Amino acid sequence: MSLNVVTLLYLVASICFIQALKGLSHPTTSRIGNGFGMAGMAIAVVTTAALVAKLAENPAAGLAYVLGGLVVGGGLGAIMAKRVEMTKMPELVAFMHSMIGLAAVFIAVAAVVEPYAFGITQKGDPIPYGNRLELFLGAAIGAITFSGSVIAFGKLSGKYKFRLFQGAPVVFQGQHMLNLVLGIATIVLGLGFVFAGNFGAFLAMLALSFVVGVLIIIPIGGADMPVVVSMLNSYSGWAAAGIGFSLNNPMLIIAGSLVGSSGAILSYIMCKAMNRSFFNVILGGFGGEAATSGGAQQQRSVRSGSADDVAFVLGNADSVIIVPGYGLAVARAQHAVKEMAHKLTAKGIQVRYAIHPVAGRMPGHMNVLLAEAEIPYDQVLEMEDINSDFGTTDVVLVLGANDVVNPLAHEKGSPIYGMPILEAHKARTVIVNKRSMAAGYAGLDNPLFYLDKTMMVFGDAKKVIEDIVKGLD
């Protein structure tokens, strides 16, 4: 295979990746988008394997290593994807980001140690300044992505006792100053490697980058993790792009740039949805204030009801909006919700779903959850498209959501003041299903639960919805 053919195939793969992003921008075309993504990656992998076989000193051994990596990595990936539950998808995404970052680090280290093996230099020649800069940036961003994603994985999982893996933010005096000092030290050491070719400076820079990755994620609370996942996705793309420049690999450059830029844009959109500063996300100060200012919950009485009560209210409504949250995902109640909605629609009741951009634990979590149950896309509406309809809606059914429907976002002085919310409190009747009165990720009590028009229904979302379905018969 000639280098011209390789370049052409990489270009085709890049076009597939661009089409994949375009397809994934809407639920109705997401399957086609996934198909383009898989086709592009298959072309890139086969082309790379052929290139290794052509350029390696020992083609058989080189190809064996590549195929071995594909079998092991692909096999593990297939097993994990098959076994993962929808509620664990955010942790899987964080894990994948960490692997991309670590791969960038390993490639950078190998390229620094033996640049001639990657075609960067001739054997014995020093690495050019431009390549050193690319390796520095790729390795630093990769290391930050890896350690930051490991912390995000632990926070998203919520089952580890290690303090850094717990959802509550880890803050201490002088934290931002420490981050600044370590960031400057990392840059200085990196430039020392760029201009002096000092391998020791490169290793020290790498070590500090791992530490910085931890420090910029630990002060972020659980409520802000969807934005963190998006941010780390962007970091992983830039790490891959940086390494692509060093290796003169157009496929890595294009794919990494696509991931990096799309992740950055998504992070910006998520920040707007939570009224946060995008620069605070990048600098690691994001989320600390909101998570540490929550205050204690008020001890007030609520009006509670049963599944039969809910069935009666829903059955006599003309319009219903369902607000899915993480509690719905934990209970895996999406199929029961679809059945309930089907029964309501059969009675002539209008049923729609309201999706907040940061509902769940990663961007698009609720959209994927509802798509898994094959809920019609035209019934699923984003916050800005449905917020104006809450005031004329008979019943809003909130399933396991908390912060995204908290009216405290409208009160000055609240830790979440200014955060756009789904305005469920404007509906004529509000029904909220939760396991308990526990606060959401932001650690704030929710005044919505205490309104006279609100009925609380406690219990597992799937069991409650199944009982509502029986009551609708």
Side-chain angles (χ1 to χ4, degrees):
M1 181 182 295
S2 68
L3 293 180
N4 288 336
V5 174
V6 169
T7 302
L8 177 61
L9 290 174
Y10 277 157
L11 178 60
V12 172
S14 301
I15 294 173
C16 287
F17 290 148
I18 294 171
Q19 291 299 315
L21 281 179
K22 181 180 179 181
L24 291 171
S25 64
H26 195 276
T28 56
T29 57
S30 59
R31 293 181 184 273
I32 297 176
N34 270 323
F36 272 114
M38 291 186 289
M41 185 55 68
I43 293 171
V45 168
V46 172
T47 303
T48 302
L51 188 62
V52 168
K54 177 180 178 64
L55 299 179
E57 294 181 1
N58 187 339
L63 194 57
Y65 281 124
V66 171
L67 293 178
L70 287 175
V71 171
V72 174
L76 290 175
I79 293 172
M80 293 172 63
K82 185 177 181 179
R83 292 182 177 178
V84 68
E85 299 176 3
M86 187 57 63
T87 53
K88 301 298 181 183
M89 192 63 71
E91 292 100 298
L92 179 63
V93 172
F95 172 79
M96 289 179 176
H97 291 164
S98 71
M99 292 297 100
I100 295 173
L102 191 60
V105 170
F106 283 159
I107 293 173
V109 172
V112 171
V113 174
E114 294 186 352
Y116 57 88
F118 294 86
I120 298 175
T121 66
Q122 297 296 320
K123 195 166 186 176
D125 292 343
I127 303 175
Y129 292 115
N131 291 107
R132 291 180 196 167
L133 178 61
E134 294 158 359
L135 289 169
F136 154 50
L137 293 175
I141 298 173
I144 291 172
T145 303
F146 170 73
S147 56
S149 297
V150 169
I151 298 299
F153 173 87
K155 284 178 173 285
L156 288 167
S157 178
K159 63 181 181 180
Y160 299 103
K161 294 182 179 180
F162 185 47
R163 178 67 181 90
L164 300 185
F165 285 167
Q166 294 177 9
V170 178
V171 293
F172 52 85
Q173 189 173 3
Q175 189 169 27
H176 292 294
M177 182 57 66
L178 176 61
N179 289 350
L180 178 62
V181 170
L182 291 180
I184 293 174
T186 301
I187 294 174
V188 170
L189 289 168
L191 294 177
F193 165 71
V194 171
F195 293 108
N198 190 314
F199 184 62
F202 177 82
L203 293 179
M205 174 276 299
L206 205 55
L208 284 184
S209 297
F210 283 119
V211 175
V212 169
V214 173
L215 292 177
I216 64 174
I217 302 300
I218 59 174
I220 302 176
D224 301 327
M225 290 313 294
V227 185
V228 174
V229 172
S230 175
M231 179 184 70
L232 291 170
N233 177 49
S234 178
Y235 286 0
S236 67
W238 297 126
I243 297 301
F245 278 107
S246 299
L247 304 182
N248 195 26
N249 187 313
M251 184 72 265
L252 268 179
I253 297 171
I254 295 173
S257 299
L258 287 172
V259 173
S261 56
S262 60
I265 293 170
L266 180 57
S267 297
Y268 175 74
I269 293 172
M270 302 285 283
C271 287
K272 286 188 64 177
M274 297 187 71
N275 193 36
R276 308 293 198 193
S277 166
F278 181 67
F279 291 102
N280 282 345
V281 179
I282 298 174
L283 297 175
F286 183 65
E289 181 183 353
T292 56
S293 330
Q297 292 188 51
Q298 302 180 41
Q299 296 298 323
R300 290 185 283 173
S301 61
V302 297
R303 183 166 68 95
S304 61
S306 65
D308 288 334
D309 296 328
V310 177
F312 177 80
V313 173
L314 292 176
N316 287 279
D318 290 325
S319 57
V320 175
I321 294 178
I322 300 172
V323 179
Y326 187 66
L328 175 69
V330 171
R332 295 192 60 80
Q334 62 269 33
H335 296 283
V337 169
K338 180 187 178 182
E339 184 179 358
M340 178 189 69
H342 178 72
K343 287 184 176 293
L344 293 174
T345 303
K347 293 176 179 288
I349 301 170
Q350 182 188 40
V351 179
R352 291 174 295 171
Y353 300 81
I355 306 297
H356 193 281
V358 296
R361 289 193 173 185
M362 73 175 184
H365 197 178
M366 293 301 105
N367 300 76
V368 174
L369 192 76
L370 298 180
E372 185 184 33
E374 298 184 348
I375 290 172
Y377 297 129
D378 59 354
Q379 295 180 7
V380 182
L381 301 175
E382 301 298 329
M383 178 178 63
E384 60 271 15
D385 297 324
I386 200 170
N387 248 356
S388 60
D389 295 343
F390 280 107
T392 57
T393 299
D394 291 327
V395 182
V396 169
L397 177 58
V398 180
L399 298 172
N402 196 324
D403 300 323
V404 297
V405 293
N406 195 333
L408 285 178
H410 296 320
E411 296 185 12
K412 289 185 177 181
S414 165
I416 61 172
Y417 173 66
M419 170 182 165
I421 61 168
L422 292 167
E423 297 180 339
H425 58 281
K426 293 184 177 180
R428 298 187 179 96
T429 301
V430 181
I431 300 171
V432 180
N433 167 241
K434 283 172 60 69
R435 291 177 181 269
S436 69
M437 289 296 293
Y441 294 134
L444 297 174
D445 201 13
N446 192 335
L448 174 68
F449 303 158
Y450 307 103
L451 298 179
D452 292 337
K453 62 182 176 182
T454 299
M455 178 192 298
M456 301 295 297
V457 184
F458 298 104
D460 177 80
K462 185 176 181 180
K463 178 66 168 58
V464 169
I465 297 300
E466 289 174 344
D467 290 341
I468 292 173
V469 171
K470 294 177 182 177
L472 290 171
D473 290 334

